[in-house]
Amino acid sequence: MTLKTLDEDLRNKTSMAHSNLRRMKATMPHSTGWNEGRCFYEPTDFYVGNVIYVRNTPYLLLEADEYTYDYLEQHCEKFPHSNIKKITGEFTEWVPDKCEELKNGFEKYDPEKTGYINFDQFMEVLYEEMPNEIKLQYPEHAVRTVGRWYAEEKYTGLCFHEMRRKVQTELFRKKFYDFEDLKLALQIHDKEKSGYLDPDRVYYVMRTTKSLEINRDVLKSFLYK
């Protein structure tokens, strides 16, 4: 997931502050001495719009990639904010009374009457009409789940994000964890230290990395998009 710190002074702090961003268990802020080590964040705490605390530094979860969204929706029984049936079922308790207001709000952003609005407009109208007492129950992730479910997209072939998701799926399936070694190999081939490599060179590095057994067609589609 993409996140940003809510601590404006973080970039001015010592390197110890930046050590927050590494793989580790994070304890919830309300943990005390007697339950230290027993109150960790769970996978269900990681959803778009939530704020987590790592060593007293707040981080807002901004976005997730397609692979993450798909995974959460496929296991929606564990992740309620990705459960479209649960969300829409609960929406029936208040949406019928707000149909006219919602319709007017959507039409305001569609003056040409195309029948389409973007997600930000959809979310703004939904939150504007949602009863205040239940807004906290539906963070941005839940609204994104609804938007993704009802979004209409024409298939135009595999896009970059889809290919990235396929590569990520392959890496997870192969249980590949040697990202530091892969990074080092790519840096070695970047002799000018420019931060860029041509697709042919990247393909060579990834194909010659022994622990990286990824499908050739998927890799080529990802690199030569």
Side-chain angles (χ1 to χ4, degrees):
M1 282 194 172
T2 304
L3 52 82
K4 77 170 181 178
T5 177
L6 299 180
D7 186 346
E8 298 295 337
D9 298 324
L10 181 63
R11 65 182 59 186
N12 298 323
K13 293 184 178 180
T14 65
S15 59
M16 285 297 293
H18 296 278
S19 65
N20 292 340
L21 302 178
R22 61 183 176 83
R23 182 184 291 272
M24 66 178 185
K25 284 187 175 182
T27 308
M28 289 184 173
H30 57 264
S31 297
T32 57
W34 66 269
N35 71 349
E36 187 73 25
R38 301 182 185 178
C39 195
F40 296 111
Y41 282 107
E42 299 291 338
T44 51
D45 295 314
F46 290 84
Y47 54 85
V48 177
N50 195 23
V51 176
I52 63 171
Y53 286 79
V54 181
R55 294 179 178 172
N56 297 320
T57 300
Y59 292 92
L60 173 64
L61 302 182
L62 295 175
E63 182 58 287
D65 58 26
E66 192 67 21
Y67 175 87
T68 302
Y69 279 124
D70 285 347
Y71 178 87
L72 297 178
E73 290 166 3
Q74 290 168 11
H75 300 81
C76 59
E77 70 282 355
K78 299 179 181 178
F79 302 98
H81 298 312
S82 296
N83 192 327
I84 186 63
K85 289 185 178 180
K86 177 180 181 297
I87 297 170
T88 53
E90 294 170 349
F91 273 21
T92 58
E93 298 178 4
W94 65 272
V95 167
D97 296 331
K98 291 283 188 176
C99 282
E100 190 64 28
E101 291 86 347
L102 289 168
K103 179 175 179 291
N104 293 336
F106 295 146
E107 289 179 344
K108 180 182 69 173
Y109 287 114
D110 184 25
E112 298 180 359
K113 301 186 183 303
T114 64
Y116 296 92
I117 59 174
N118 64 42
F119 173 75
D120 289 335
Q121 295 166 343
F122 171 76
M123 183 169 63
E124 180 181 330
V125 173
L126 204 62
Y127 275 133
E128 186 176 328
E129 300 301 334
M130 188 181 295
N132 291 327
E133 61 270 19
I134 67 171
K135 283 184 179 179
L136 292 178
Q137 300 176 31
Y138 302 102
E140 182 178 338
H141 196 117
V143 179
R144 285 187 175 275
T145 298
V146 177
R148 284 167 55 82
W149 179 261
Y150 289 104
E152 181 175 328
E153 297 181 1
K154 294 182 179 179
Y155 181 74
T156 57
L158 289 173
C159 66
F160 174 74
H161 294 296
E162 289 176 330
M163 290 312 308
R164 182 175 64 180
R165 177 167 58 85
K166 288 182 178 294
V167 171
Q168 289 174 331
T169 301
E170 282 280 307
L171 293 177
F172 279 112
R173 189 168 65 85
K174 297 292 185 179
K175 297 182 179 180
F176 177 79
Y177 302 108
D178 299 330
F179 291 102
E180 287 301 320
D181 291 341
L182 178 60
K183 177 182 177 182
L184 179 60
L186 293 170
Q187 289 175 336
I188 291 175
H189 286 274
D190 181 19
K191 297 179 180 179
E192 297 179 356
K193 308 298 181 184
S194 64
Y196 295 90
L197 286 175
D198 63 81
D200 291 338
R201 181 60 59 182
V202 176
Y203 180 80
Y204 171 79
V205 171
M206 298 188 77
R207 286 298 301 164
T208 54
T209 301
K210 293 183 179 180
S211 57
L212 182 59
E213 300 177 359
I214 192 168
N215 182 279
R216 292 187 182 185
D217 293 332
V218 171
L219 182 58
K220 287 182 177 179
S221 299
F222 179 73
L223 294 175
Y224 302 99
K225 62 184 181 68

